[in-house]
Amino acid sequence: MPTAAVQSASLARRGFLATPLARIGLIIPSSNRLTEPQLRHFAPPELGIHVTRLQMTGQWNRPLSALGDDIKRAAGALADAKVDIVVFHCTGHAMEEGPDGDARTRALIESATGIKALSTASAIQEALAALKLKRLILLTPYDQETNDHEIDYLRQIGLSVVHDVALALPGSDDYLAQPPERWVELAVEHAREEVDGYFLSCTNTTQIEAIEPIERRLGKPVINSNQAVLWACTQRLRPKLGNASLGAGLGRLVNGS
């Protein structure tokens, strides 16, 4: 059997550190299968990523207002892992009750844990502001009702959706079945000259791999849910992470060009 020291060295060579410089904890839908591999791929080894799940989408779908006790329990479990930030990471749920509902969720987490909280919605808001994006194309795998919630959320924070596409995919398997090229095709098909950028909304898709191809094709910035959360967390944790850098492929939000 390999010793603990040998195991630790092996993990370090593969990009994992037994004692990372900072840690984030994410509360994700139980059906989500892409947040973890994507964030671990793009995060620096110095950033530890810890996840807990809630049954809140698909057959378990419940409104944000009904998730309070479950969110507190999940946040408490992440607090046990000594994370620096707790993220409520589900775009549709984070946005469905508007900025006020999202603020209540983050306040609930902070009250329950004493740890700073972030949500997918608040990270996206920060990312859009960082790139000065005001007029957007919205592309999602969701139904139109969910898109409408997100459009309303964005309107309430002073942004406008010029055009949106809701693929109305029936379940998470269908979300995962869409390759990055599909999101690039959709962006090109629905491009509008008058917009500032593109918002690819969802935490459980291959959208993150389409960011730079879309930016190259259309010459405008792209924001995605997982990209925005990872960027916002590393921005907050920069005093601990130092010069640790995110992986290549995350577009103008990270590269600044």
Side-chain angles (χ1 to χ4, degrees):
M1 291 288 291
T3 66
V6 169
Q7 289 176 323
S8 180
S10 175
L11 287 171
R13 284 195 296 272
R14 294 184 342 229
F16 295 93
L17 296 180
T19 53
L21 300 178
R23 301 176 188 272
I24 62 173
L26 299 109
I27 302 169
I28 67 173
S30 54
S31 60
N32 188 304
R33 285 170 275 174
L34 288 182
T35 286
E36 291 154 296
Q38 288 179 1
L39 266 61
R40 288 185 174 126
H41 174 79
F42 288 103
E46 295 87 350
L47 179 63
I49 298 172
H50 306 277
V51 174
T52 192
R53 286 174 148 73
L54 286 188
Q55 292 178 318
M56 57 175 160
T57 57
Q59 65 176 316
W60 310 106
N61 188 48
R62 289 175 288 162
L64 182 62
S65 56
L67 294 171
D69 289 342
D70 287 345
I71 290 172
K72 285 194 291 186
R73 282 191 291 270
L78 290 168
D80 291 344
K82 309 298 184 186
V83 298
D84 298 285
I85 298 172
V86 175
V87 184
F88 180 68
H89 193 44
C90 177
T91 322
H93 273 73
M95 289 189 173
E96 74 177 7
E97 295 183 5
D100 289 344
D102 181 55
R104 287 193 296 271
T105 300
R106 288 182 279 118
L108 178 70
I109 292 169
E110 293 184 357
S111 175
T113 64
I115 298 171
K116 288 295 183 183
L118 187 68
S119 72
T120 325
S122 59
I124 288 164
Q125 181 175 351
E126 291 175 15
L128 292 169
L131 292 175
K132 298 180 172 59
L133 306 185
K134 294 287 189 180
R135 294 166 60 81
L136 306 169
I137 298 286
L138 171 65
L139 305 177
T140 85
Y142 309 137
D143 57 28
Q144 191 59 51
E145 181 180 7
T146 303
N147 266 31
D148 289 344
H149 287 312
E150 297 197 359
I151 291 167
D152 187 56
Y153 182 102
L154 294 165
R155 179 190 59 78
Q156 290 185 59
I157 61 172
L159 310 179
S160 64
V161 174
V162 173
H163 178 67
D164 76 296
V165 177
L167 292 182
L169 300 176
S172 61
D173 287 344
D174 305 280
Y175 287 26
L176 273 63
Q178 310 304 310
E181 293 79 14
R182 172 67 169 143
W183 297 104
V184 177
E185 291 167 359
L186 282 170
V188 172
E189 178 184 351
H190 295 275
R192 299 288 190 280
E193 184 59 37
E194 68 270 26
V195 303
D196 303 317
Y198 295 78
F199 172 28
L200 277 56
S201 174
C202 189
T203 64
N204 194 34
T205 71
T206 61
Q207 292 169 346
I208 200 167
E209 299 173 65
I211 291 170
E212 289 198 343
I214 293 171
E215 290 185 343
R216 286 194 297 269
R217 289 283 296 274
L218 300 179
K220 292 183 179 179
V222 176
I223 297 298
N224 159 257
S225 301
N226 285 342
Q227 167 220 37
V229 162
L230 186 56
W231 169 83
C233 286
T234 55
Q235 291 289 104
R236 283 166 168 73
L237 295 172
R238 190 54 64 193
K240 286 191 170 186
L241 292 174
N243 294 324
S245 59
L246 294 171
L250 293 177
R252 296 188 192 182
L253 179 64
V254 172
N255 298 330
S257 60

